[in-house]
Amino acid sequence: MDYIDPHIHMVSRTTDDYATLARMGCVAMSEPAFWAGYDRGSVDGFRDYFRQLTDTEPKRAAQYGIQHFTWLCINAKEAENVALSREVIAMIPEFLDCPNVLGIGEIGLNKNTPNEATIFLEHVDLAMKFEQLILIHTPHLEDKYQGTRMILDMLCGDSRVTPDRVLVDHVEEHTIREVLDRGFWAGMTLYPVTKCTPERAVDMIEQTGGERLLANSAGDWGPSKPTAVPDLIFEMRRRGLPESLIRKVVYDNPIEFFSKSKQFTFQRRA
Amino acid sequence: MTPEGKTITERTGDLIIEESFLEVRAKLLEVAATLDRIDRASNETQLSESANEQRALLQQAIEIVRSSSSERATELQHLFSREYKSDWRQTFGL
């Protein structure tokens, strides 16, 4: 089955991973900007990173027939450096017209601090001024519930934000309902230890019906599995769920959400 | 979710137990063995305050698992979560 991984960090993966993903049915992916494992020291560090996301990775993906899209921001972890964050936010418009850019992301909170919230609001303002989609990172572990509620408060507190133009990622059992009930799209991240297994993700699909719901691997430089979405497909089939529902979650829903960006020029396989 | 509000799975409880019994049994054994290991080590050295708090959280989690709630996973998530306060924006001055 063709599928789309809507959240994967291919800058951290080898070319062999592109080959494996292609063989497993991945036809497109979107890659949000994230933390590199260390704090970058200058706006030029981010400018080079955005060149990698908008130029290098699309070419690497295309060698394997995968269409690569991306999102730009300074992540919540580095938002503690407010001065640098503002320089990066001011620089982002240089890249917004690149053909594979879908919007601003993954923005959000990490430890739910005042500086993180300040920079989050400034990213949202940028997205609204440039009519961009938004991809949200919700915090991990004990910070997730509090941080998700805070993020939803900020989004719902801005009258310019349309919930169905925002994808809230890393939802789990205690956050998914509020995200969907408020009209946002929700992404489940299949990630060892800190997020969600394919089995629990399928439980959530069964309980919510799969409307406005996506699944991703978030494959990155940490313990993660870039082929986690095929694992989800396998678990759904094992439970006897309809192919139409599987396709909705891993293919139709990403296309419907991403199509809200005029730069989503996805070509279906003939 | 169906229009009647039921979940969309058609699998029976019998089937799910048959599929998952050995896996859940193994996970429970891991939990039991880990708690035993903690207790053995604690006989030699007292747990620190923060470790004691985490040990107590695990005990509360076990109580949730033992309960007859139909939302055990959600309740566990809340147990392990920091509290949300709706006036956080005033606190932050935002």
Side-chain angles (χ1 to χ4, degrees):
Chain A
M1 175 183 284
D2 285 357
Y3 79 91
I4 295 171
D5 193 329
H7 186 143
I8 186 166
H9 298 290
M10 293 306 295
V11 297
S12 305
R13 309 302 311 191
T14 64
T15 301
D16 285 350
D17 288 332
Y18 273 117
T20 302
L21 290 168
R23 289 188 176 104
M24 298 196 83
C26 182
V27 292
M29 55 181 50
S30 89
E31 175 163 6
F34 83 139
W35 190 55
Y38 61 93
D39 291 348
R40 282 154 283 205
S42 70
V43 68
D44 280 337
F46 281 89
R47 188 176 274 114
D48 286 343
Y49 177 42
F50 294 163
R51 282 183 48 231
Q52 188 178 15
L53 291 172
T54 55
D55 186 33
T56 308
E57 290 307 322
K59 289 175 184 163
R60 227 163 51 112
Q63 293 175 55
Y64 296 91
I66 297 173
Q67 296 165 69
H68 180 280
F69 300 92
T70 195
W71 306 75
L72 306 176
C73 75
I74 176 168
N75 63 89
K77 207 171 171 69
E78 286 168 284
E80 282 301 331
N81 186 340
V82 172
L84 175 60
S85 298
R86 287 179 170 151
E87 285 184 71
V88 174
I89 288 170
M91 177 269 289
I92 285 173
E94 293 176 22
F95 290 86
L96 288 178
D97 288 332
C98 292
N100 71 329
V101 174
L102 297 180
I104 301 300
E106 56 180 305
I107 58 170
L109 299 174
N110 178 48
K111 301 306 288 182
N112 310 336
T113 68
N115 283 344
E116 291 170 12
T118 297
I119 294 305
F120 177 83
L121 289 167
E122 293 181 18
H123 273 114
V124 172
D125 183 60
L126 174 75
M128 294 303 101
K129 282 179 178 160
F130 286 86
E131 299 179 347
Q132 297 292 307
L133 300 180
I134 295 176
L135 192 154
I136 299 288
H137 163 90
T138 55
H140 306 306
L141 301 171
E142 72 270 20
D143 300 308
K144 181 178 294 295
Y145 178 71
Q146 183 189 69
T148 302
R149 294 289 304 268
M150 291 167 64
I151 288 165
L152 297 182
D153 286 348
M154 288 187 276
L155 291 170
C156 293
D158 188 329
S159 61
R160 300 170 299 171
V161 173
T162 309
D164 80 349
R165 288 177 58 81
V166 181
L167 169 58
V168 180
D169 259 339
H170 317 323
V171 298
E172 293 184 35
E173 291 89 345
H174 55 326
T175 55
I176 185 170
R177 287 194 177 93
E178 180 141 17
V179 170
L180 292 174
D181 287 349
R182 293 206 196 186
F184 297 96
W185 291 74
M188 301 177 296
T189 297
L190 310 164
Y191 200 91
V193 186
T194 60
K195 298 189 183 75
C196 182
T197 61
E199 291 80 6
R200 284 171 46 213
V202 179
D203 290 340
M204 287 188 265
I205 294 168
E206 288 181 338
Q207 290 174 304
T208 61
E211 201 60 44
R212 280 183 283 114
L213 194 55
L214 284 67
N216 65 71
S217 71
D220 59 25
W221 46 261
S224 56
K225 189 175 181 189
T227 54
V229 177
D231 290 348
L232 177 97
I233 294 170
F234 180 80
E235 176 62 15
M236 290 181 79
R237 286 204 178 118
R238 195 184 70 77
R239 295 191 191 186
L241 295 172
E243 288 292 307
S244 58
L245 178 61
I246 302 173
R247 184 181 170 88
K248 178 179 180 62
V249 173
V250 304
Y251 188 77
D252 296 337
N253 281 353
I255 289 173
E256 185 180 343
F257 176 70
F258 293 159
S259 294
K260 296 173 190 297
S261 165
K262 63 181 187 302
Q263 290 182 186
F264 185 61
T265 53
F266 175 67
Q267 300 292 315
R268 293 172 191 262
R269 275 209 278 215
Chain B
M1 191 78 77
T2 67
E4 297 78 35
K6 294 180 179 171
T7 56
I8 53 183
T9 184
E10 292 178 356
R11 296 183 313 146
T12 65
D14 282 359
L15 177 62
I16 296 169
I17 287 183
E18 183 185 323
E19 288 173 352
S20 57
F21 180 80
L22 284 177
E23 190 181 343
V24 174
R25 175 184 182 274
K27 288 175 180 171
L28 288 171
L29 276 170
E30 281 299 321
V31 171
T34 304
L35 295 179
D36 288 347
R37 204 176 302 136
I38 292 167
D39 288 349
R40 284 196 301 274
S42 311
N43 288 337
E44 303 296 323
T45 315
Q46 289 288 311
L47 290 177
S48 66
E49 189 178 333
S50 63
N52 246 323
E53 286 171 8
Q54 288 186 314
R55 177 68 182 81
L57 265 183
L58 294 177
Q59 200 61 42
Q60 289 179 59
I62 289 167
E63 295 306 318
I64 290 171
V65 173
R66 284 189 60 201
S67 76
S68 55
S69 164
S70 60
E71 298 278 346
R72 294 183 191 87
T74 302
E75 289 176 24
L76 277 184
Q77 293 275 23
H78 281 295
L79 174 70
F80 292 124
S81 295
R82 287 168 63 192
E83 185 186 0
Y84 162 78
K85 292 181 178 164
S86 59
D87 63 350
W88 68 269
R89 288 186 87 144
Q90 289 93 306
T91 309
F92 282 9
L94 285 174

